[in-house]
Amino acid sequence: MATTDCSVASSTAPSDNNNVKSVSDMSTTVQSPTSPKAPVQLGPKHKLITEADVQVCRLNHTRTIVSKIMNSRYLRRWESHRIVLDHNEVRSTTPTGFMELAVPYSSIEDVHIVSRWDAGQKFCLRITIPDGSVLLQANNAYIRDQWLHSIQWKRHIFRSERLLKNARRPEILVKEIKSMIDVSLVTPIQDSSVFRFPLDLVSDLLQDNDEFLSKEFQETIIVALTPLLEKNHPTQEICDFFSKHCKDSPRSTLVIELFTPVVHRILKHNTDFGKYPRMRTFVQEYIQALNSQNDGLRVVQALVKSMHGPASTCPHPRVLPNLVAVCLAAIYTCYEERKSNVHDNVDGEDFDQVEWENKLLCYVSMMETMSEFDDWRYVLGSLLQPIPFPDDAIADSLFTSRMKVTIHNVSSDETCGVHQTLLGIREGKEGWFHLYCPGGIACDDDGQLWGVMLNTLMKCCCKRKKFLMSISKMIGPIMLLALRDNFAAMEVLCSMLELEVVEGHDLRMQMITTLQSTTEGKRMYAQLCERQIAIKEMQQQKGGPKKLTLPSKSTDIDLTKMLSSGSFGNLECLSLAFTQVTSACANDLIKLPSLRYLNLWSTQFGDQGLQTISEHLHKLQVLNLCETPVTDKGLACLASIKSLRKLNLNSTNLSALTFEGLKEKLPALQECDVRYTDAW
C-alpha cells in the first residue's frame, strides 16, 4: 500500500518555572516557591466520546500482491459500527467483520490524522497496531478530531494507571505523576474525568506509597497537583496528604503559596462538610499552619478578611457558614483532645497547655474577625444562637471571656434581626443573653456586657410586655445594674412597673426603692408616676367623643397632642387612615381602654406597633391594616387579640401560612380581607 502523509498531534509539558503570585494579604515574609500554572488551552475543545457510530476499515500490513490490491483506495470497503471506548480497549457493540476482535489500548502503537484525504471529503484517522491499521472515517473534520483526542485520552488513562500502579521507585512515581498531570492540562477534551482521573489516581497512590515518599518528593507532588485544584476540590485522600504536610511542615512555603488558593476554593464553594470531613480537617490544619507563622493570629485574621473581600458585602454566600463550621469543629476537637489527655495522663505531663490555648484562641479570634463585618453579623449570630459549643467550653472562663468580643459586636448592632440572636432560639431555651447575665456561668465583668445587650434590646424591639415577663426571673441582676447607674436596667424596672409585669407588693416596693437610690432613677420614676396619673385621669374621666378621625397628613406628634388635650376615656372608634403615623403611636393607642375600632389604612404603622397593641388592646374588634408595611412577624401577634371580628389585611405582606394560623387562633373572626396578598 502506498505511504500516506500523516499529521500527528503532539503535546508539550508545561514549564515548571512560572512563579505563583505571592499572597500579600497573608502578611507574611515567606519566599514564593516555583509552581506550574495551568497552561492556556488553544484551539477547539471536544467532548469526550465514549460510544458513537462511525465508519470503520481495517488494513492488513502483509506485503503480498493480493493484499495490496485489496487495500487499494478503489477496492477499500467500509463498515458501519457503533464503537465503544472502554476502559481497556476499543470495541464494537456488534463484534463482526473488521471489529470482530477488539483493539486493546496496549496494542496501539500510534493514533494520527490522515490529512491527505481531507480534500476528498474523507475525514479519517489511523490507529496503528502491530498487524495493520484501523481506519475511522467521520462526517467532518471536527468529529474526526474528537475521535482522535478521545482515543488518545483513553489510551493515556490506561497507560498512566498501568505505569503508576507498578512503579516502585519514588523518583519514577513522581516523574510519571507529573507527566500524567501535564497531559491532563493540555488535552482539548472537556470532561469531568480530565481532572478527576489524575486526582483520584494520585489519591490511591498516596494511600499506598505515603510511607516511602520523602518530604522532597511529597512537595514535588503537591506542586504538580496545584493546577488541577484551581477548579476542583481535592479528594479525601489528597486532603489527608495535605493535612499531613501542614502538620509536619507548617512553616513550609508550600502551605502559604500553594494551599491558600485551594483553601479559598473550598471555603467559597463547599456546600457540605458533613460529606467531606477530611476536607474540613485539611482547612483546620491549614489554619493552624498559618497560626504557627510569625504573628500568627494576625495572619489568620487576614485570611478571614481576604475571604470576605474589600466590598461591603461578601460575594460568596458559602464562605461564612464554612468558616463557622471549621471553627465549631475545631473548638470541639480542642476540648475533646484535652478531655482525652486528662483521662489518659493523670499527671498531664504530655499535655502542652500553652499550645492548646494558642490553638483555641486562634479559632475564637476568627469569629471575632467575622463579627466585624456588618453583612456577616446576622448569619453569624443565627449560627451561634443555639450556643453550639461543648459544655466544657461554656464552663471554661478562657473561652467565654474571649467570646465576649464577638458577642459584644453582635450586641452593638442596631439591626433588630441581629441583636435578637442573643436571645434563646426558642421559648424555654437560654441564649447568650442568659449566659452572660450577672451571676451566670460566663459573667466575669460585673454585668458590663449584659448591660450592653439589655440596652440594645430595650432600645429596639424588646420593650414589650412579653419580653419583660421573660426576664422577670432576672430581676435581681437588673436591680443590681440599676444601682450601678445602668440606664437600660432602670428603664426595664420602670417598664415592669408600668406594665404590671411583676406581682407582689414587696418586690414592687424593692424595685421602686432601687430606682430612687440614684439620681437618674429618681427622675425616671417621677416621670413614670406622672404618666400613670395622666393615664388614670384620662381613663376615669367620663364623657368625651366616642369617635375620632384625624386629618390626613397627621403625624405621631399630632396624635399625642390630640389625646393629651382632653378626655378620651369613652373613645371607641379611632380612624388614622391616610395619616403619617408610625409604630411609635402605639404607645398612645394603648392608653385608650375602650377602643374597639381602629383604622390604620395607608399609614406607616408596622410590626413593632402591632406587637405593642396586641399586648394591651384586648377589647379591639375591628382593625384595618390595608396598605400598611406589616409582615408575618407582626401579624402573627394579632392571635392574642381574641375579640377581633373584622380584619382588613388587603395589600399587605401576609403569607398563606400566617393567615391559616390566624383563622385557627381567632375564634370570633367573621371577616378578613386578604385581597392582593399571598393568601388571596
Side-chain angles (χ1 to χ4, degrees):
M1 178 179 176
T3 304
T4 59
D5 294 333
C6 304
S7 64
V8 182
S10 64
S11 62
T12 58
S15 170
D16 286 349
N17 296 323
N18 297 326
N19 289 334
V20 175
K21 182 186 286 187
S22 62
V23 189
S24 58
D25 59 346
M26 285 300 164
S27 305
T28 65
T29 58
V30 182
Q31 297 296 318
S32 303
T34 58
S35 62
K37 287 184 179 180
V40 178
Q41 298 176 358
L42 302 176
K45 305 297 186 290
H46 302 278
K47 185 179 179 181
L48 179 66
I49 294 176
T50 55
E51 183 177 338
D53 295 324
V54 70
Q55 296 289 312
V56 180
C57 179
R58 196 158 190 155
L59 305 181
N60 193 330
H61 280 185
T62 57
R63 294 305 179 183
T64 64
I65 297 296
V66 175
S67 68
K68 288 183 178 181
I69 294 173
M70 295 303 296
N71 291 337
S72 67
R73 178 177 179 181
Y74 300 102
L75 296 179
R76 190 176 301 128
R77 181 169 57 89
W78 294 90
E79 295 178 354
S80 295
H81 282 272
R82 186 162 187 81
I83 298 299
V84 178
L85 302 184
D86 264 346
H87 188 67
N88 299 316
E89 61 188 10
V90 181
R91 63 176 179 85
S92 172
T93 55
T94 54
T96 58
F98 292 144
M99 292 303 296
E100 182 177 0
L101 298 176
V103 181
Y105 296 124
S106 58
S107 68
I108 296 178
E109 298 174 354
D110 192 17
V111 185
H112 58 263
I113 293 170
V114 186
S115 58
R116 179 175 178 172
W117 295 349
D118 288 1
Q121 298 300 306
K122 290 186 179 295
F123 304 98
C124 300
L125 63 88
R126 172 177 288 155
I127 304 173
T128 304
I129 54 179
D131 59 346
S133 300
V134 177
L135 299 179
L136 301 183
Q137 183 181 162
N139 293 331
N140 54 55
Y142 180 83
I143 297 178
R144 176 201 61 196
D145 293 348
Q146 189 177 6
W147 274 103
L148 170 70
H149 296 302
S150 296
I151 294 173
Q152 286 179 334
W153 174 249
K154 285 287 190 176
R155 187 177 171 217
H156 164 68
I157 291 178
F158 176 80
R159 175 184 174 278
S160 299
E161 284 185 329
R162 185 178 60 177
L163 287 175
L164 288 170
K165 289 186 177 179
N166 293 325
R168 291 295 177 264
R169 293 167 57 190
E171 61 272 18
I172 299 298
L173 182 65
V174 172
K175 178 184 176 182
E176 291 300 329
I177 286 176
K178 291 181 66 177
S179 175
M180 172 189 65
I181 292 173
D182 288 343
V183 174
S184 300
L185 294 175
V186 298
T187 179
I189 290 295
Q190 285 190 321
D191 188 79
S192 59
S193 67
V194 170
F195 293 113
R196 294 315 306 178
F197 161 70
L199 289 175
D200 292 340
L201 183 56
V202 171
S203 299
D204 295 339
L205 293 170
L206 291 176
Q207 220 170 4
D208 298 335
N209 303 289
D210 188 34
E211 296 299 326
F212 72 84
L213 286 173
S214 67
K215 180 180 177 181
E216 180 183 356
F217 285 130
Q218 289 181 9
E219 291 188 351
T220 304
I221 293 174
I222 291 171
V223 172
L225 283 172
T226 302
L228 292 179
L229 297 174
E230 289 181 3
K231 296 183 179 179
N232 298 271
H233 287 334
T235 63
Q236 297 298 283
E237 292 76 18
I238 290 178
C239 285
D240 286 342
F241 179 60
F242 287 176
S243 297
K244 183 176 182 295
H245 189 79
C246 288
K247 280 184 178 179
D248 297 343
S249 308
R251 298 178 70 87
S252 165
T253 54
L254 295 183
V255 172
I256 301 295
E257 295 299 332
L258 301 187
F259 288 172
T260 296
V262 178
V263 170
H264 274 227
R265 175 174 173 77
I266 291 172
L267 292 175
K268 288 176 182 177
H269 302 292
N270 174 67
T271 56
D272 187 2
F273 274 133
K275 291 182 179 178
Y276 309 106
R278 285 181 280 182
M279 192 180 295
R280 181 181 61 206
T281 301
F282 162 53
V283 177
Q284 291 174 212
E285 295 299 339
Y286 166 79
I287 290 171
Q288 283 307 308
L290 295 184
N291 193 34
S292 70
Q293 308 293 324
N294 296 332
D295 201 4
L297 275 182
R298 190 162 64 89
V299 177
V300 172
Q301 291 169 345
L303 168 69
V304 177
K305 293 177 181 178
S306 69
M307 292 306 306
H308 181 278
S312 59
T313 302
C314 178
H316 302 285
R318 291 301 311 165
V319 166
L320 179 63
N322 284 334
L323 282 172
V324 174
V326 168
C327 291
L328 295 182
I331 291 171
Y332 262 96
T333 302
C334 283
Y335 283 96
E336 285 299 318
E337 286 177 356
R338 189 174 74 169
K339 184 187 296 184
S340 175
N341 190 277
V342 170
H343 182 268
D344 296 338
N345 301 287
V346 179
D347 297 332
E349 295 178 358
D350 299 332
F351 185 68
D352 190 334
Q353 180 69 20
V354 174
E355 181 182 350
W356 181 86
E357 290 182 1
N358 185 44
K359 183 187 295 186
L360 175 68
L361 297 181
C362 167
Y363 296 107
V364 175
S365 71
M366 287 179 65
M367 289 187 286
E368 290 178 13
T369 308
M370 295 177 217
S371 68
E372 294 174 3
F373 295 99
D374 294 342
D375 62 311
W376 273 1
R377 217 168 281 140
Y378 172 70
V379 176
L380 177 64
S382 300
L383 293 173
L384 298 183
Q385 188 174 11
I387 314 183
F389 297 103
D391 293 339
D392 290 344
I394 302 303
D396 186 358
S397 59
L398 174 66
F399 174 77
T400 53
S401 177
R402 288 302 299 267
M403 276 297 294
K404 283 163 56 178
V405 177
T406 302
I407 302 304
H408 184 276
N409 289 339
V410 174
S411 305
S412 302
D413 195 302
E414 295 182 357
T415 306
C416 179
V418 175
H419 56 246
Q420 277 205 333
T421 60
L422 299 170
L423 304 175
I425 195 168
R426 61 179 181 274
E427 194 170 346
K429 178 75 173 177
E430 293 187 349
W432 295 103
F433 180 73
H434 302 79
L435 197 66
Y436 284 97
C437 174
I441 190 173
C443 182
D444 61 356
D445 58 0
D446 293 330
Q448 291 183 12
L449 175 60
W450 194 70
V452 173
M453 297 188 204
L454 191 62
N455 182 56
T456 306
L457 291 168
M458 286 300 293
K459 282 197 304 185
C460 183
C461 49
C462 290
K463 194 175 181 180
R464 295 169 45 216
K465 191 172 184 178
K466 183 178 180 181
F467 172 70
L468 295 173
M469 291 180 68
S470 70
I471 64 172
S472 59
K473 293 181 180 179
M474 303 179 184
I475 192 66
I478 293 171
M479 287 193 288
L480 178 63
L481 286 185
L483 285 172
R484 295 173 179 174
D485 284 322
N486 184 284
F487 182 83
M490 290 185 281
E491 188 178 14
V492 169
L493 292 180
C494 288
S495 298
M496 285 182 168
L497 290 170
E498 184 176 11
L499 300 176
E500 299 181 351
V501 170
V502 177
E503 297 180 357
H505 176 73
D506 292 343
L507 183 56
R508 290 173 63 86
M509 290 304 299
Q510 187 177 350
M511 293 166 62
I512 294 171
T513 303
T514 301
L515 286 170
Q516 292 180 330
S517 300
T518 63
T519 304
E520 183 64 23
K522 283 181 179 179
R523 185 187 65 80
M524 294 175 69
Y525 181 65
Q527 290 179 344
L528 169 62
C529 293
E530 290 176 3
R531 287 199 305 272
Q532 287 185 319
I533 292 172
I535 291 172
K536 287 182 179 179
E537 288 179 352
M538 183 183 72
Q539 292 176 348
Q540 292 173 358
Q541 285 177 352
K542 300 300 179 180
K546 289 191 174 183
K547 294 183 179 181
L548 178 64
T549 301
L550 255 66
S552 61
K553 308 301 182 182
S554 297
T555 64
D556 295 329
I557 297 176
D558 296 326
L559 177 62
T560 302
K561 289 181 178 178
M562 175 70 74
L563 294 180
S564 61
S565 63
S567 172
F568 292 95
N570 292 335
L571 188 64
E572 296 180 357
C573 178
L574 176 61
S575 177
L576 302 176
F578 305 104
T579 64
Q580 297 177 355
V581 297
T582 67
S583 294
C585 75
N587 293 323
D588 291 313
L589 298 179
I590 61 176
K591 300 172 184 176
L592 304 171
S594 303
L595 197 62
R596 287 173 171 76
Y597 174 95
L598 179 59
N599 188 352
L600 294 166
W601 187 1
S602 193
T603 64
Q604 293 303 307
F605 196 86
D607 291 339
Q608 191 172 344
L610 282 183
Q611 292 170 344
T612 302
I613 67 172
S614 64
E615 293 181 343
H616 297 84
L617 300 181
H618 297 299
K619 294 182 179 180
L620 200 61
Q621 297 179 0
V622 180
L623 178 61
N624 188 344
L625 295 169
C626 179
E627 297 180 4
T628 57
V630 293
T631 67
D632 286 344
K633 179 181 177 181
L635 292 171
C637 299
L638 295 178
S640 62
I641 309 179
K642 302 300 182 182
S643 58
L644 275 176
R645 293 187 296 105
K646 295 182 180 180
L647 191 56
N648 189 343
L649 303 178
N650 188 315
S651 303
T652 62
N653 293 313
L654 172 71
S655 69
L657 184 62
T658 300
F659 178 51
E660 292 300 321
L662 288 175
K663 288 194 296 183
E664 291 179 5
K665 297 175 182 178
L666 295 175
L669 191 63
Q670 299 172 359
E671 297 179 19
C672 188
D673 186 350
V674 294
R675 289 175 295 173
Y676 308 107
T677 68
D678 290 343
W680 190 24

